Amino acid sequence: MKYKITHITRYEYQLPASLCHNLVYQVPVSQSFQQVEKVDYHINPEPHFLLTREDFFNNKFIYFSIEEFHRNLSVEIKSEIKVDEPVWINAIPGNTMPWESVVSWLRSTNADNNIRQFYLESDHVVFIPGIQEYALMSFTPGRPVMEAMLDLNARIFNDFDFTPGFTDVTTKLEEVFLHRKGVCQDFAHFALACLRSIGLAARYVSGYIETLPPPGKPKLFGSDASHAWIALYIPETGWTEFDATNNLLVNDRHIRTAIGRDFADVVPLKGIVYSGAGQRMFVNVDVSRLEETV
Amino acid sequence: MIETYLRQSQNTGKTFFDELAAPGGVVREHWKKLALAYDELGIEKMEQRSREISQELRDNGVTYNIYSDPEGINRPWKLDPVPMVFSQQEWESIERGLTQRAELLNLVLSDIYGERKLIKEGFIPFEMVFTHKGFLRQADKIKIPGKFQLIQYSADLVRSPLGKMWVLHDRTDAPSGAGYTLENRAAMTRVFPDLIRENQVRKISSYYQALKNTLTKLALQNKENPRVVLLSPGTANETYFEHAYLASSLGFTLAFGQDLTVSDGFVWLKTLRGLEKVDVIVRRVDDIFCDPLEFRGDSHLGVVGLMEAVRQKKVTIINPLGCRILENPGLMAFLPRLSKHLLNEELILPSVATWWCGHEKEKKYVLDNLPFLIIRSIYRSNENLPYIGSELSRKQIDDLRNEINTRPYLYVAQEVVSFSTTPSLTGSNLEACNAIFRSYLVADVEKQQYNVMPGGLSRSFPTKGEFIISNQSGGISKDTWVLGPSPESQAKPVLNQPILRQVKNVLPSRTGESLFWLGRYLDRAIINVRMMRIVLKIYNERDDEIHPESNQTLVILLKSLSALTGTLPGFTSPDQIKLRQPESELLSLAVETGRPGTLAQSLQSFLANGHAVRDRLSLDTWRILDSISEEFELMKANGSDLRKIYHNLDQFIIKLMAFIGLNNDNMTRASSWRLLNIGRFIESAINTCTILLAALSNNVKPDVEKQLMELVLMCNESLITYRYLYRSTLQLPGVLNLLLVNEDNPKSVAFLIAKIDEHLNHLPGNKRDDGLSPAHKKLLEALTMIRLCDVNKLVGAARVNDLHKKELTHFLQHLITLLGQASTIIFESYFSPTQSQYSFVKSNNALPEL
């Protein structure tokens, strides 16, 4: 599948800001099952200093600074990306390794530290009381790892309400678990905490998902948003992606922008601004399918 | 004295190793000379010397701060007259051990941020690094050119009961104390010059030379004339004293985060001249506070974009960001093996026995022995204080056990060590106290080896066996003496020292701002004190009760005091309650610190600004600041006694004038001095106008006016001048002439304005092609107004019903407005108006609506 993605973030400051420095994690890179064919970015006002870099997890990010008075800031990223059906779609969940074997393989030094680092706690993924018990209800003794994961995915989907506005970046995982409410980010963190608490390696994926308009209605530009899900390491299929928000095994409708231990590693746009007052933010995301030319 | 000490050390029955007393009650060889000298001095003279040391340190303004304690600012630094002593022979082995450890840690550091082979090959457990908050992924693969990544290193050493030195902590992020060590040595040299000579105590200056040399050499860009700044978290930091002290003794610029900015990928110092490029930053700000963009978004101590400037190789930070990983105590358990693997050597200095709980076997041992161990988080912070197993309740033990089981890799356990005792002068006794010694190493990039300071900072503690120590828990510092002749290479004078070009003297804008305010608060405090003295004098002469009608002089003075201090309505309140009972308001105006305008608040702001620029002030000036600070404490203690406060006021005048005198005498006529004076003169000019307005623009009875004129002249220190110039009775036109117009009188407003104008001309960036700058215009307008005025006309013939002299009132009001505007313009053109720093995580609520 081929997509055209437009992600616009606009900031309005109440008073002019004299200086800002920013990091942008919205630049998709080619990887397994995803080829970036085109990516353009446009920042207004024109940054004084800008460069793109690769981080510890091989994500691409943009660093830029604006060193003159400005009242607005907009960051617009446009990309065209071809997404292929991932290998795990053809895996038979019941035939994958028992999850305990994956855990003991991870504990051995045979496993790459680049994989093992994802079974450790991180800022947003904490082993809160009860989390292991929740996980173990899906990860029953000897159960094939992928089958158990699909079960966990479905349970999170059923047990938790998608409630925008209930949480924000500072909400603790305990709150999400207690009230069983949140958004995709929270569900991803919760799933990661479940998996890591029993010793599995799992990482946070940020990106976009293609949405379809309600039946009979045209799709509105900008009605999409950024999205988050997780990838679990399964030795047979590698990093295998699951979307608890939609109870999906990720196929070719998810487009990846960055991976990390959790949200903190891949904040789409963060910055420090020097200004006399607060600011307002507007975000527009559009994911549209392009006709594939043969 | 020594005899008693030896006897006591025999009788404790404990297994402490004593630094002075060998088993059998004899003095150890390297202590013999000292012991003899102490006996000759006797305890009384020792106490006397101890007081001299305290005085010396106080005179030098050596202080430290305690964070959580509001009264904990500027605590006097304490130094034991008895040093920690190492024999030549033992020091050689300690020095070898420290060098080896620094080299080993340097290799480990290079690997952790490089290939991470040691982790892959299992020499360092991966969880121990990857879960440590000091492992900064943002710093991965960044290298300083050359072999040294760990530039500064400190180890805390203690002596085990068997006499061997052990490493208790490694300090690799931003080790502190080298400045205090230098002060300690200076004080000891002043008080015990003979002992230092006779014992051949090694000099520690080579360390500071190597430090300065290395920091200068590490510049990546501007190699001929690099600018080095010392980045301090600010005046409230525990060890701020030594930040200012080290910066000024090493010739670096002291900077706070707000003094620096990143632009075009470079780091710049904001100075009065504009931006100046920074090449090397030696930081005393903790790693994750250094750049709010990439680390803690809520940090106001750092510089936004700093990490990127490092990545771009535009600036070098010492120690590099990421070094804190080496403070991980878990590493200690793996160092012996690492030493063999990397250096092919046995580890010379052992660490305190350490078990990292991330391995099953060690975890089991720790859990089985919790009550006998000390449990630490692998990441040291104020929230993660160590647990002392023996002091935990059963419930706490259970909680800790659960926590260790959940996150075993985050914990280490260490053996409880009882470390050696050393004589310490406590009260009138030589007592055995536990001691810990901090060493200092710096990579000497020229000689390609670590330079070990032959000495360091020792601390002793009254409670024996106490394991967790810091200055905050009430220890006392000790100088550290390494005995014996210097090694050959160090004895030779250093030849071929490259002649360093004088670094252009720059004034950070923030420092300039502090100097400006220092000047303003200085003169505000002075006029406050003078006015208050006069008010109190008249107040004390009153009859019992104050009748506003009959005590007109006092009433006008009280109202003037409210006007001058800006504490309106105060005594001007129509209800006259405070006027009739002025005592509590007067007390408040003297000692209430939280109230803007009071003397206490002015003094406090004066001292705070002085503190912030202490690297710019001479040693004697610090001493005066400290003595003003002491007087301030005395005044606060006299809180409710106006008579005693009157006495404090006299003292303040003398001390504040001494401050002015000394600065006039020894501050170079650079921008810093000019800003201080601009601040002073603006304040002074406005205050003179305010007093004239409040006290002399009313139409009152002639005798009252006469008395007021006399008092106003006294307040302005101009009464004698008046009598000398006019030799007549006091008349208002004469008074106005002297205080406003007469440009020969250094107290007159016209003189002050002319001076401000002159200073302003010498500040950078004041030359313009298009005529006068806005500040000059305001000053010229004010000056011309005064020069053109006719004082007789200003006073005018009073009309019968006028309460005020209208023309004079308008004239003074206009003058005050112009001066205020000039001040604002000067302030805004040199110091950027404060803008808040906002951290934003954008798009955080941009979540899908599916």
Side-chain angles (χ1 to χ4, degrees):
Chain A
M1 220 58 82
K2 201 168 159 186
Y3 298 97
K4 181 177 177 183
I5 296 144
T6 312
H7 187 155
I8 305 168
T9 313
R10 238 171 8 94
Y11 254 80
E12 278 180 13
Y13 306 117
Q14 282 165 17
L15 287 171
S18 58
L19 173 70
C20 74
H21 290 258
N22 302 271
L23 298 179
V24 187
Y25 272 83
Q26 298 176 14
V27 190
V29 287
S30 293
Q31 48 186 282
S32 311
F33 326 120
Q34 167 172 314
Q35 285 83 49
V36 178
E37 300 190 340
K38 214 162 116 185
V39 56
D40 272 327
Y41 47 82
H42 182 69
I43 296 165
N44 193 18
E46 182 80 24
H48 282 77
F49 192 78
L50 178 147
L51 41 85
T52 57
R53 296 207 162 271
E54 222 175 73
D55 75 357
F56 189 83
F57 305 104
N58 300 112
N59 299 306
K60 209 171 183 183
F61 69 92
I62 304 172
Y63 162 80
F64 73 88
S65 67
I66 295 171
E67 297 165 22
E68 63 183 2
F69 277 101
H70 57 292
R71 260 183 181 280
N72 297 292
L73 169 68
S74 80
V75 178
E76 187 179 333
I77 318 259
K78 283 186 173 163
S79 53
E80 286 181 25
I81 295 168
K82 187 165 164 291
V83 184
D84 299 324
E85 184 175 89
V87 285
W88 58 75
I89 290 296
N90 300 317
I92 299 164
N95 287 356
T96 51
M97 275 166 99
W99 67 271
E100 296 96 330
S101 313
V102 181
V103 171
S104 34
W105 174 77
L106 284 167
R107 293 283 150 175
S108 72
T109 38
N110 296 334
D112 192 328
N113 289 329
N114 288 333
I115 298 169
R116 295 167 81 196
Q117 63 179 322
F118 293 105
Y119 70 65
L120 300 170
E121 279 177 295
S122 56
D123 286 354
H124 293 283
V125 179
V126 185
F127 300 161
I128 53 174
I131 195 88
Q132 205 180 40
E133 289 77 1
Y134 189 93
L136 289 174
M137 285 168 73
S138 295
F139 287 81
T140 50
R143 195 167 187 191
V145 60
M146 189 165 171
E147 187 187 298
M149 178 63 223
L150 286 168
D151 185 59
L152 178 71
N153 217 37
R155 279 174 56 224
I156 295 175
F157 178 78
N158 291 323
D159 289 352
F160 287 69
D161 283 334
F162 185 88
T163 317
F166 178 74
T167 56
D168 61 30
V169 275
T170 61
T171 309
K172 296 232 182 304
L173 204 55
E174 282 97 330
E175 290 288 301
V176 176
F177 193 21
L178 179 70
H179 298 282
R180 310 250 162 148
K181 281 179 188 170
V183 289
C184 61
Q185 207 179 71
D186 304 308
F187 303 156
H189 285 154
F190 184 80
L192 290 174
C194 287
L195 295 166
R196 294 183 194 172
S197 74
I198 57 170
L200 289 164
R203 63 193 196 185
Y204 186 94
V205 186
S206 75
Y208 312 98
I209 182 171
E210 181 198 22
T211 57
L212 300 173
K217 299 243 173 92
K219 188 170 181 300
L220 298 172
F221 180 86
S223 61
D224 299 314
S226 50
H227 187 39
W229 59 97
I230 67 128
L232 169 69
Y233 195 82
I234 299 177
E236 291 98 331
T237 51
W239 290 108
T240 308
E241 297 171 27
F242 301 86
D243 178 354
T245 313
N246 299 297
N247 190 17
L248 281 176
L249 177 64
V250 168
N251 198 334
D252 55 2
R253 285 175 53 209
H254 286 68
I255 304 106
R256 307 146 188 105
T257 50
I259 61 108
R261 287 167 296 168
D262 57 35
F263 174 74
D265 283 334
V266 294
V267 178
L269 180 52
K270 70 175 173 182
I272 300 286
V273 61
Y274 290 85
S275 87
Q279 63 250 325
R280 284 199 301 169
M281 184 197 62
F282 309 88
V283 181
N284 257 305
V285 174
D286 189 79
V287 179
S288 41
R289 201 182 282 206
L290 290 176
E291 294 306 315
E292 279 181 77
T293 46
V294 184
Chain B
M1 169 169 32
I2 297 296
E3 206 46 47
T4 324
Y5 185 81
L6 289 173
R7 225 178 12 253
Q8 278 169 356
S9 71
Q10 289 294 95
N11 296 340
T12 53
K14 292 202 180 166
T15 51
F16 290 122
F17 181 100
D18 189 80
E19 295 289 326
L20 179 145
V26 291
V27 176
R28 289 179 199 277
E29 195 57 37
H30 63 288
W31 270 91
K32 281 198 169 138
K33 269 190 191 168
L34 263 180
L36 208 64
Y38 290 158
D39 267 339
E40 275 172 22
L41 272 172
I43 196 75
E44 268 167 39
K45 284 216 174 110
M46 279 297 278
E47 285 178 81
Q48 169 62 25
R49 299 276 177 109
S50 177
R51 283 193 294 273
E52 283 172 33
I53 286 177
S54 304
Q55 189 58 42
E56 181 74 15
L57 290 168
R58 234 206 347 260
D59 287 350
N60 290 355
V62 189
T63 54
Y64 67 103
N65 299 328
I66 296 183
Y67 274 131
S68 50
D69 180 359
E71 298 293 312
I73 293 288
N74 296 334
R75 292 270 178 107
W77 180 255
K78 286 182 273 180
L79 173 60
D80 187 343
V82 183
M84 177 86 173
V85 185
F86 290 109
S87 70
Q88 181 183 1
Q89 187 200 357
E90 181 178 24
W91 183 254
E92 276 168 17
S93 116
I94 292 176
E95 191 172 24
R96 267 204 317 280
L98 286 169
T99 308
Q100 182 201 46
R101 199 169 173 104
E103 275 166 4
L104 182 58
L105 290 174
N106 182 51
L107 291 174
V108 169
L109 182 69
S110 311
D111 183 68
I112 287 177
Y113 290 102
E115 286 185 78
R116 285 189 277 283
K117 258 172 79 178
L118 296 172
I119 301 175
K120 280 184 205 116
E121 292 169 1
F123 288 94
I124 301 174
F126 121 93
E127 289 98 334
M128 208 172 77
V129 173
F130 276 68
T131 57
H132 193 264
K133 289 203 171 77
F135 176 51
L136 303 181
R137 287 156 181 81
Q138 294 88 334
D140 194 33
K141 306 284 184 285
I142 298 175
K143 258 192 97 201
I144 298 178
K147 78 167 191 179
F148 292 113
Q149 303 305 308
L150 180 65
I151 306 296
Q152 289 184 282
Y153 167 59
S154 281
D156 285 339
L157 296 151
V158 293
R159 197 189 293 279
S160 74
L162 292 176
K164 179 112 176 112
M165 292 304 281
W166 283 350
V167 175
L168 193 58
H169 314 116
D170 295 293
R171 290 288 176 260
T172 54
D173 194 39
S176 61
Y180 290 111
T181 306
L182 194 53
E183 278 288 5
N184 281 353
R185 178 55 63 85
M188 291 295 275
T189 309
R190 276 282 286 266
V191 176
F192 293 109
D194 39 349
L195 290 188
I196 288 194
R197 213 174 29 247
E198 285 158 17
N199 282 285
Q200 283 190 293
V201 177
R202 290 201 25 208
K203 292 197 163 53
I204 55 175
S205 52
S206 60
Y207 166 82
Y208 300 92
Q209 277 164 16
L211 176 64
K212 178 168 181 164
N213 196 31
T214 289
L215 292 176
T216 319
K217 289 265 160 16
L218 285 171
L220 297 164
Q221 305 264 336
N222 178 17
K223 285 187 180 294
E224 291 82 52
N225 197 13
R227 175 168 307 288
V228 183
V229 303
L230 190 148
L231 179 63
S232 163
T235 55
N237 183 266
E238 295 159 273
T239 57
Y240 171 68
F241 160 79
E242 78 164 4
H243 307 165
Y245 179 66
L246 278 175
S248 66
S249 24
L250 295 172
F252 301 150
T253 307
L254 179 69
F256 301 155
Q258 77 227 54
D259 297 334
L260 302 176
T261 183
V262 172
S263 175
D264 295 332
F266 288 95
V267 180
W268 305 83
L269 178 68
K270 297 181 219 166
T271 80
L272 230 47
R273 272 172 220 279
L275 299 177
E276 301 257 353
K277 209 174 272 178
V278 173
D279 302 292
V280 178
I281 296 174
V282 47
R283 68 183 168 90
R284 296 300 286 272
V285 173
D286 286 353
D287 50 2
I288 49 171
F289 287 91
C290 280
D291 181 354
L293 182 63
E294 302 216 15
F295 306 111
R296 282 185 63 147
D298 58 348
S299 167
H300 286 249
L301 307 176
V303 187
V304 188
L306 190 59
M307 192 65 226
E308 188 51 45
V310 172
R311 242 177 242 134
Q312 296 259 329
K313 303 216 176 299
K314 298 287 171 60
V315 73
T316 310
I317 299 188
I318 302 307
N319 272 346
L321 295 171
C323 282
R324 183 173 287 253
I325 185 72
L326 298 175
E327 293 192 3
N328 186 332
L331 264 181
M332 289 186 168
F334 300 87
L335 285 183
R337 219 178 133 216
L338 283 165
S339 176
K340 269 182 231 148
H341 174 65
L342 291 170
L343 303 172
N344 208 10
E345 289 170 9
E346 294 290 331
L347 193 65
I348 300 171
L349 280 175
S351 319
V352 167
T354 302
W355 294 269
W356 177 61
C357 300
H359 283 161
E360 217 33 64
K361 202 175 113 210
E362 282 76 6
K363 183 176 88 177
K364 188 173 178 307
Y365 173 83
V366 170
L367 291 179
D368 290 345
N369 292 281
L370 275 182
F372 314 105
L373 297 168
I374 292 203
I375 317 297
R376 290 175 189 277
S377 158
I378 58 170
Y379 187 69
R380 177 173 65 101
S381 79
N382 291 336
E383 291 90 58
N384 296 335
L385 294 177
Y387 301 93
I388 300 164
S390 59
E391 292 177 3
L392 298 179
S393 68
R394 173 154 293 201
K395 163 105 176 39
Q396 285 169 314
I397 293 263
D398 286 345
D399 290 349
L400 185 58
R401 190 185 305 275
N402 280 337
E403 174 60 18
I404 293 176
N405 271 320
T406 315
R407 302 169 178 90
Y409 38 79
L410 289 189
Y411 293 91
V412 297
Q414 290 183 326
E415 189 187 357
V416 180
V417 276
S418 42
F419 36 93
S420 68
T421 56
T422 179
S424 197
L425 193 72
T426 52
S428 54
N429 240 327
L430 214 50
E431 224 175 285
C433 289
N434 285 121
I436 177 172
F437 158 65
R438 176 170 289 190
S439 57
Y440 295 92
L441 286 85
V442 61
D444 185 330
V445 290
E446 270 187 342
K447 295 190 186 142
Q448 287 289 298
Q449 64 188 34
Y450 280 99
N451 177 307
V452 185
M453 179 195 288
L457 185 66
S458 296
R459 286 166 289 165
S460 70
F461 301 88
T463 28
K464 285 178 192 148
E466 192 176 328
F467 195 79
I468 300 128
I469 35 190
S470 73
N471 287 318
Q472 311 239 346
S473 68
I476 180 168
S477 79
K478 278 172 166 299
D479 193 14
T480 308
W481 290 4
V482 174
L483 308 185
S486 300
E488 209 58 36
S489 63
Q490 287 193 329
K492 278 187 204 155
V494 188
L495 294 175
N496 299 332
Q497 187 87 319
I499 299 160
L500 275 180
R501 278 166 53 194
Q502 192 187 348
V503 178
K504 208 169 30 166
N505 182 28
V506 293
L507 191 62
S509 301
R510 193 243 335 134
T511 311
E513 187 178 337
S514 293
L515 284 160
F516 174 81
W517 286 111
L518 183 69
R520 287 205 66 158
Y521 283 112
L522 172 60
D523 272 48
R524 191 172 300 178
I526 290 173
I527 197 77
N528 256 349
V529 171
R530 288 218 170 107
M531 189 70 181
M532 199 166 279
R533 274 202 311 187
I534 284 164
V535 170
L536 288 180
K537 181 169 170 289
I538 302 295
Y539 176 65
N540 291 336
E541 286 168 2
R542 80 199 185 279
D543 303 328
D544 280 352
E545 218 150 282
I546 297 176
H547 303 288
E549 293 71 33
S550 55
N551 295 67
Q552 221 181 348
T553 307
L554 181 57
V555 165
I556 291 180
L557 281 179
L558 287 171
K559 287 180 175 176
S560 302
L561 186 61
S562 294
L564 179 72
T565 51
T567 52
L568 298 168
F571 291 116
T572 66
S573 179
D575 59 21
Q576 298 197 335
I577 294 173
K578 283 181 178 160
L579 265 186
R580 288 171 200 279
Q581 296 290 334
E583 192 136 345
S584 68
E585 176 74 355
L586 284 172
L587 281 171
S588 158
L589 289 179
V591 299
E592 199 173 322
T593 43
R595 184 175 173 199
T598 62
L599 175 61
Q601 193 263 343
S602 297
L603 284 168
Q604 204 170 36
S605 305
F606 166 73
L607 289 169
N609 281 295
H611 204 52
V613 298
R614 73 179 302 166
D615 59 316
R616 303 266 154 185
L617 304 175
S618 73
L619 179 59
D620 286 335
T621 315
W622 292 5
R623 291 180 177 166
I624 295 177
L625 274 183
D626 286 337
S627 100
I628 294 172
S629 182
E630 278 164 29
E631 192 68 40
F632 183 42
E633 294 305 317
L634 288 178
M635 180 178 80
K636 281 196 288 188
N638 290 338
S640 57
D641 188 337
L642 274 178
R643 244 170 17 93
K644 285 190 185 156
I645 287 177
Y646 195 100
H647 177 73
N648 296 127
L649 297 180
D650 286 339
Q651 292 300 311
F652 278 131
I653 283 293
I654 295 168
K655 290 176 176 176
L656 291 167
M657 294 319 283
F659 181 85
I660 293 178
L662 206 54
N663 276 325
N664 276 335
D665 192 47
N666 66 16
M667 257 176 113
T668 44
R669 268 41 180 170
S671 303
S672 48
W673 183 73
R674 297 193 185 282
L675 283 165
L676 177 76
N677 279 324
I678 290 175
R680 283 191 52 209
F681 295 164
I682 285 185
E683 183 70 31
S684 201
I686 293 177
N687 288 334
T688 301
C689 295
T690 309
I691 291 178
L692 288 174
L693 183 66
L696 295 179
S697 67
N698 311 294
N699 282 324
V700 290
K701 284 185 286 186
D703 60 321
V704 172
E705 182 164 77
K706 191 166 160 260
Q707 199 185 6
L708 284 170
M709 284 191 289
E710 191 178 322
L711 294 170
V712 167
L713 286 170
M714 264 172 69
C715 187
N716 208 272
E717 286 285 278
S718 296
L719 188 57
I720 309 289
T721 320
Y722 185 90
R723 295 212 164 117
Y724 175 76
L725 278 179
Y726 293 91
R727 298 180 192 279
S728 68
T729 52
L730 293 167
Q731 286 177 335
L732 193 51
V735 173
L736 291 179
N737 198 48
L738 183 65
L739 295 187
L740 285 175
V741 187
N742 186 339
E743 283 178 56
D744 291 331
N745 175 18
K747 301 277 174 186
S748 78
V749 176
F751 177 92
L752 293 171
I753 295 175
K755 273 288 168 197
I756 297 167
D757 198 63
E758 188 192 318
H759 284 310
L760 210 48
N761 274 328
H762 284 93
L763 287 184
N766 221 279
K767 299 272 181 299
R768 305 159 54 114
D769 300 329
D770 55 343
L772 290 174
S773 75
H776 281 300
K777 282 183 186 165
K778 294 286 175 199
L779 291 171
L780 183 65
E781 189 180 347
L783 188 57
T784 311
M785 244 179 86
I786 299 176
R787 282 178 178 163
L788 294 181
C789 83
D790 177 342
V791 283
N792 288 308
K793 200 169 155 251
L794 276 184
V795 173
R799 268 167 293 178
V800 190
N801 290 330
D802 276 355
L803 277 175
H804 303 291
K805 299 184 170 65
K806 248 191 197 146
E807 278 205 46
L808 181 60
T809 305
H810 287 161
F811 181 84
L812 291 170
Q813 280 169 341
H814 190 47
L815 214 46
I816 292 170
T817 309
L818 285 173
L819 288 167
Q821 286 168 339
S823 172
T824 309
I825 295 169
I826 293 169
F827 185 77
E828 282 178 355
S829 53
Y830 283 103
F831 322 117
S832 50
T834 315
Q835 281 201 326
S836 311
Q837 168 190 321
Y838 285 91
S839 161
F840 50 83
V841 174
K842 294 173 186 168
S843 305
N844 53 29
N845 40 10
L847 297 162
E849 299 185 11
L850 295 172

